[in-house]
Amino acid sequence: MAKAKWIIVVAPIFYAVATVSAQSCPEDRPTQLCCRTLAPFSSNQVVLKSACGVEGVDLDAFVVSFCEEVVPCDRIRVCCANVHSCSGGLNGPVGVNCIGAQ
């Protein structure tokens, strides 16, 4: 009998994010999104500024990309202060100043 082989993939960077209930988002971050990526603004600020028009964001603020407003969410569920569309659909829509939702 052949043995099963398992491949374990571990992301090299983990970000700690405050979490809130999925039922509601806080008043200062009212938009709930389901996204593919989560990272500090500083990690992709050139694209976010030029293609998405995101300005005036703290470099440490969490930004999510490749988002949808769907429930249930099988990716990264967040609550965001702002949502931006990017030119040509690049990376977008993106959420800015986000916290994790449970």
Side-chain angles (χ1 to χ4, degrees), residues 4-67:
K5 292 184 181 182
W6 294 88
I7 298 174
I8 299 173
V9 178
V10 179
I13 299 173
F14 293 94
Y15 297 104
V17 181
T19 60
V20 296
S21 168
Q23 299 303 316
S24 64
C25 288
E27 195 172 297
D28 63 335
R29 291 175 174 89
T31 306
Q32 189 173 135
L33 297 169
C34 182
C35 307
R36 195 179 322 156
T37 64
L38 168 78
F41 179 72
S42 61
S43 70
N44 203 13
Q45 64 182 316
V46 173
V47 170
L48 291 168
K49 285 181 178 180
S50 62
C52 307
V54 178
E55 301 268 342
V57 176
D58 184 282
L59 293 177
D60 294 327
F62 284 103
V63 177
V64 289
S65 57
F66 303 102
C67 300

Side-chain angles (χ1 to χ4, degrees), residues 77-89:
R77 189 173 26 211
V78 294
C79 294
C80 301
N82 305 94
V83 178
H84 295 265
S85 294
C86 301
S87 61

